[in-house]
Amino acid sequence: MSNARLLVVEDNAALRKGLSIRLRANGYEVLVAADAISATAAITLEMPDLVILDLGLPSGNGFDVMARLQRSDPLANLPVIVLTGRDPAGNRSRALCAGAAAFFQKPMDDGALLATIHLALKVSRRKSHLEDSSLC
Amino acid sequence: VKEQSLQAAQGDQEQFSGNLANSSHELRNALACIFQFGNILVDGLAGELAPQQREYVAIILENAGIIRRVLDGVHDKHSGPPAKSSDRLDPNAAVEG
């Protein structure tokens, strides 16, 4: 599933860089955003295939970003993987209810994250393909 | 007096654990960076490592794993079961998602 465009939304500059290196090494094109407003702008302008989203962000939070996506028809199906240092108790179910495809607590396993990205992209592409077919 | 000292020590320990639980978000971000860049080095994404360098990075990752297990333990005590996040040193860990 290489060549997919991923948006990494992470306010920690070092982690943003580390994730970008890892994802690029696996063949993905990587876009980055450091806060909720830039994330929303990047999603609208760049239309990534998947978003890796931190919850604690400046100028909003990950839940705000997901709520905006859900309100937008073309973006409601965009796969979002939440990657946070926050306590999973409460946040995990809240994130999944808000539309996240998966929830990871930091520090995460790179292999598991990459496998989940691959799967989420596969499901998303199948869904788009089915929707396109049903239009014919 | 001994009983009082024991209770005070237990109180200090609980306060320490509570503080650690509250600051675990920041610690988890820092740990994620250590694992991320450690694994980038181990995987040769920044160039091949000499055997000695590889050994030292493995020591860093191993000790970061110890800190993570402590954090997970604190989390367990203060807010239920920990997330199943894992690093490369624990290949049997469950996959999140």
Side-chain angles (χ1 to χ4, degrees):
Chain A
M1 206 67 64
S2 50
N3 296 327
R5 281 150 59 88
L6 312 187
L7 173 66
V8 174
V9 186
E10 170 61 63
D11 61 331
N12 182 309
L15 194 51
R16 202 165 59 235
K17 183 174 182 175
L19 273 169
S20 300
I21 293 168
R22 174 62 61 187
L23 294 170
R24 285 192 184 110
N26 280 272
Y28 295 111
E29 186 183 334
V30 181
L31 310 163
V32 293
D35 60 70
I37 291 174
S38 315
T40 309
I43 291 167
T44 313
L45 292 171
E46 305 285 348
M47 296 292 282
D49 298 301
L50 181 144
V51 179
I52 296 171
L53 182 66
D54 190 11
L55 289 181
L57 293 167
S59 67
N61 61 45
F63 292 114
D64 297 332
V65 175
M66 285 192 281
R68 278 183 215 125
L69 292 182
Q70 290 300 313
R71 283 197 297 267
S72 162
D73 211 26
L75 298 173
N77 287 329
L78 178 64
V80 174
I81 294 175
V82 167
L83 179 58
T84 181
R86 289 188 185 179
D87 190 341
N91 285 307
R92 183 199 302 272
S93 53
R94 192 179 163 197
L96 296 177
C97 287
F103 180 100
F104 283 82
Q105 189 187 29
K106 298 168 187 168
M108 62 295 180
D109 173 70
D110 285 341
L113 179 63
L114 287 166
T116 304
I117 290 169
H118 183 80
L119 187 66
L121 286 169
K122 204 168 160 184
V123 169
S124 169
R125 284 180 180 175
R126 260 192 208 156
K127 213 184 269 182
S128 305
H129 184 68
L130 282 173
E131 281 170 5
D132 289 347
S133 314
S134 66
L135 290 174
C136 300
Chain B
V1 173
K2 192 178 175 185
E3 182 70 20
Q4 279 179 338
S5 299
L6 275 173
Q7 280 179 354
Q10 196 175 357
D12 288 347
Q13 179 64 36
E14 280 174 9
Q15 192 180 355
F16 173 73
S17 295
N19 291 340
L20 200 57
N22 291 333
S23 58
S24 78
H25 172 249
E26 284 77 18
L27 290 175
R28 285 183 177 281
N29 268 312
L31 269 182
C33 285
I34 294 170
F35 282 120
Q36 190 66 243
F37 283 95
N39 286 324
I40 283 169
L41 290 174
V42 166
D43 291 344
L45 299 182
E48 273 308 302
L49 295 184
Q52 200 175 30
Q53 291 170 324
R54 186 173 288 276
E55 182 194 338
Y56 295 168
V57 176
I59 291 170
I60 293 170
L61 289 174
E62 193 179 325
N63 281 277
I66 292 170
I67 297 172
R68 197 198 61 206
R69 283 191 286 279
V70 170
L71 266 182
D72 285 349
V74 169
H75 182 284
D76 204 13
K77 190 175 171 185
H78 282 264
S79 50
K84 295 167 192 163
S85 55
S86 62
D87 57 81
R88 294 288 178 75
L89 300 171
D90 186 5
N92 296 319
V95 170
E96 278 289 272

